[in-house]
């Protein structure tokens, strides 16, 4: 049996304190300073939830409504 090392799926950088951290799930806030402004540097991007506007609103790339 081969031993495989599990790689972090996501790497984020905090916009406030500059901490770069890895996580296997989508992060909501920095584990060090609790800032919610994170720069996603590596891993699969979060998909937008379904939008009922038909794709014509400016927020459909990452729909916030």
């Amino acid at each position: 049996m081969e031993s495989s090392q599990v790689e972090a799926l996501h790497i984020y950088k905090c916009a406030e304190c500059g901490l770069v951290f890895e996580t296997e799930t989508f992060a909501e806030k920095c584990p060090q300073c609790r800032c919610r402004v994170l720069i996603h540097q590596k891993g699969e991007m979060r998909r937008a939830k379904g939008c009922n506007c038909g794709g014509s609103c400016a927020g459909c790339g990452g729909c916030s409504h």
Side-chain angles (χ1 to χ4, degrees):
M1 210 177 219
E2 292 180 31
S3 64
S4 60
Q5 189 175 17
V6 177
E7 242 182 85
L9 300 176
H10 305 278
I11 297 177
Y12 293 92
K13 181 176 182 180
C14 176
E16 181 73 25
C17 70
L19 176 71
V20 176
F21 63 97
E22 299 177 350
T23 180
E24 292 183 7
T25 60
F26 293 109
E28 296 292 329
K29 52 189 168 185
C30 174
Q32 182 170 300
C33 72
R34 314 307 280 171
C35 176
R36 292 187 173 269
V37 182
L38 302 174
I39 302 162
H40 191 257
Q41 293 186 324
K42 184 179 179 184
E44 184 179 344
M45 298 297 286
R46 188 177 287 200
R47 299 264 187 247
K49 293 180 181 176
C51 183
N52 294 331
C53 74
S56 62
C57 77
C60 283
C63 211
S64 62
H65 52 105

